[in-house]
């Protein structure tokens, strides 16, 4: 911009100066006249005309200082041998004075024509607007940084809280098992109810702990091994879900005929979260269908439930942490289950998706490579609209 001013006016020095009640400081400069000024350089305020321009809130434009009736005796221009001079106030949109846009030359240059003065005034306004934009960006950056720090502190707090809750929960679980073993039927019933509540609490703690790990950069931890009993382990998850959600009918089809390289505990968590999601959002008058099988090089897991479809606008949001639809039932969880599912699948190098419509219901499908994280020789996953 300053180069443009010098090129268009013939002036060999142009600068943006920050001017206060006692200082004149260069912010940006184009010096073709050899004044030797650079950003950060300062001049005595009484040797420049910006103080007068600031006081008048108006430009000062001089074609020849030596002949100017007002400023020819000013102490400043002779110090630097200046003959032509123009300075325009830079006033921010809120009316705050910042400084001046200046141009000078040791030779007389005609700068008092309307085109030149208008150019300087326009550029001064642009600078003022840019200063406001810079401040707004700085405020936004500071706010983002503060929010990021607060989020990290929050996730650290959640991680510590989740860890500390495990010990009292273990004590409650021991009390529940003691009640179950008693001969009194009422004690047994109470113990079973405690078992179900403990199972739900453990699931919630696991989810918040996993969220904290992901947010703090550790990611979902995996212990990949050859899971030869995965079919039986998934069948156990289905039985646990039946006990935890007695009002839900689950039809399972499990056909896993070979070992799968995975973290079986995480796969169990994935299926448990999906079945829990179906119990909260599906129509429990109709069965939930869980399917698990191996197709080519992929383990395919799916949970289908009937009921209201997921709104099209909500589909991009359902895997976000803490998000729950407006129609969600009270006490329906923290909104972490599907997020954790997606992170488990991602950590395994797989794909996770959903389809939802009135005719077929809502179906979540996870595709996980049988041989561990997908390599260059792995086949393509089966084609499904949900994944």
């Amino acid at each position: 911009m300053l180069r443009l001013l010098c090129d268009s006016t013939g002036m060999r020095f142009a600068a943006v100066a920050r001017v206060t009640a006692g200082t004149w400081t260069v912010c940006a400069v184009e010096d073709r006249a050899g004044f030797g000024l650079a950003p950060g350089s300062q001049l005595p305020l009484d040797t420049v005309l910006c103080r007068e321009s600031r006081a008048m809130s108006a430009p000062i434009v001089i074609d020849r200082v030596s002949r100017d009736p007002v400023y020819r005796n000013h102490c400043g221009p002779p110090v630097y041998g200046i003959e032509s001079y123009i300075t325009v106030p830079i006033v921010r949109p809120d009316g705050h004075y910042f400084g001046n846009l200046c141009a000078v030359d040791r030779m007389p240059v005609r700068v008092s024509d309307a085109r030149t003065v208008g150019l300087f005034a326009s550029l001064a306004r642009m600078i003022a607007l840019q200063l406001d934009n810079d401040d707004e960006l700085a405020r936004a950056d500071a706010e983002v940084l503060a929010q990021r720090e607060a989020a990290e502190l929050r996730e650290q707090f959640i991680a510590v809280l989740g860890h500390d809750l495990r010990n009292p929960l273990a004590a409650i679980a021991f009390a529940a098992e003691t009640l179950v073993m008693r001969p009194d039927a009422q004690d047994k019933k109470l113990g079973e109810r405690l078992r179900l509540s403990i199972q739900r609490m453990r699931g919630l703690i696991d989810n918040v702990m996993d969220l904290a790990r992901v947010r703090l950069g550790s990611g979902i931890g995996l212990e990949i091994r050859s899971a030869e009993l995965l079919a039986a382990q998934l069948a156990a998850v289905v039985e646990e879900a039946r006990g935890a959600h007695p009002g839900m009918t689950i039809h399972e089809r499990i056909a896993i005929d070979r070992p799968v390289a995975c973290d079986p505990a995480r796969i169990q968590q994935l299926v448990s979260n999906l079945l829990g999601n179906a119990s909260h959002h599906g129509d429990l008058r109709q069965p939930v269908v869980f399917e698990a099988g191996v197709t080519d090089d992929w383990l395919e897991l799916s949970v289908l439930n009937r009921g209201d479809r997921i709104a099209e606008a909500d589909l991009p949001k359902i895997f976000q942490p803490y998000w729950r639809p407006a129609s969600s039932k009270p006490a329906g969880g923290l909104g972490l289950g599907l997020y954790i599912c997606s992170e488990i699948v991602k950590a395994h190098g797989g794909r996770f998706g959903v389809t939802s419509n009135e005719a077929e219901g809502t179906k979540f499908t996870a595709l996980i490579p049988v041989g561990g994280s997908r390599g260059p020789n792995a086949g393509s996953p089966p084609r499904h609209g949900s994944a």
Side-chain angles (χ1 to χ4, degrees), residues 41 193 210 315:
S41 299
R193 290 177 62 184
D210 286 336
L315 283 174

PDB file of all heavy atoms in Angstrom, residues 41 193 210 315:
ATOM      1  N   SER A  41      10.981   2.684  14.710  1.00  0.00           N
ATOM      2  CA  SER A  41      11.720   3.940  14.868  1.00  0.00           C
ATOM      3  C   SER A  41      10.795   5.026  15.412  1.00  0.00           C
ATOM      4  O   SER A  41       9.592   5.036  15.125  1.00  0.00           O
ATOM      5  CB  SER A  41      12.297   4.392  13.528  1.00  0.00           C
ATOM      6  OG  SER A  41      13.207   3.441  13.018  1.00  0.00           O
ATOM      7  N   ARG A 193     -30.865 -55.976  41.268  1.00  0.00           N
ATOM      8  CA  ARG A 193     -31.111 -54.597  40.832  1.00  0.00           C
ATOM      9  C   ARG A 193     -29.833 -53.765  40.937  1.00  0.00           C
ATOM     10  O   ARG A 193     -29.526 -52.952  40.057  1.00  0.00           O
ATOM     11  CB  ARG A 193     -32.223 -53.968  41.673  1.00  0.00           C
ATOM     12  CG  ARG A 193     -33.609 -54.552  41.393  1.00  0.00           C
ATOM     13  CD  ARG A 193     -34.665 -53.949  42.297  1.00  0.00           C
ATOM     14  NE  ARG A 193     -34.787 -52.505  42.094  1.00  0.00           N
ATOM     15  CZ  ARG A 193     -35.587 -51.726  42.825  1.00  0.00           C
ATOM     16  NH1 ARG A 193     -36.312 -52.254  43.805  1.00  0.00           N
ATOM     17  NH2 ARG A 193     -35.648 -50.444  42.587  1.00  0.00           N
ATOM     18  N   ASP A 210     -13.031 -42.887  28.147  1.00  0.00           N
ATOM     19  CA  ASP A 210     -12.594 -42.970  26.751  1.00  0.00           C
ATOM     20  C   ASP A 210     -12.644 -41.608  26.079  1.00  0.00           C
ATOM     21  O   ASP A 210     -11.757 -41.245  25.302  1.00  0.00           O
ATOM     22  CB  ASP A 210     -13.473 -43.964  25.982  1.00  0.00           C
ATOM     23  CG  ASP A 210     -13.153 -45.409  26.340  1.00  0.00           C
ATOM     24  OD1 ASP A 210     -12.021 -45.679  26.781  1.00  0.00           O
ATOM     25  OD2 ASP A 210     -14.035 -46.270  26.189  1.00  0.00           O
ATOM     26  N   LEU A 315     -28.516 -36.643  11.176  1.00  0.00           N
ATOM     27  CA  LEU A 315     -27.569 -37.713  10.835  1.00  0.00           C
ATOM     28  C   LEU A 315     -26.103 -37.288  10.958  1.00  0.00           C
ATOM     29  O   LEU A 315     -25.282 -38.053  11.479  1.00  0.00           O
ATOM     30  CB  LEU A 315     -27.854 -38.237   9.419  1.00  0.00           C
ATOM     31  CG  LEU A 315     -29.055 -39.179   9.302  1.00  0.00           C
ATOM     32  CD1 LEU A 315     -29.325 -39.498   7.837  1.00  0.00           C
ATOM     33  CD2 LEU A 315     -28.823 -40.467  10.092  1.00  0.00           C
TER      34      LEU A 315
END
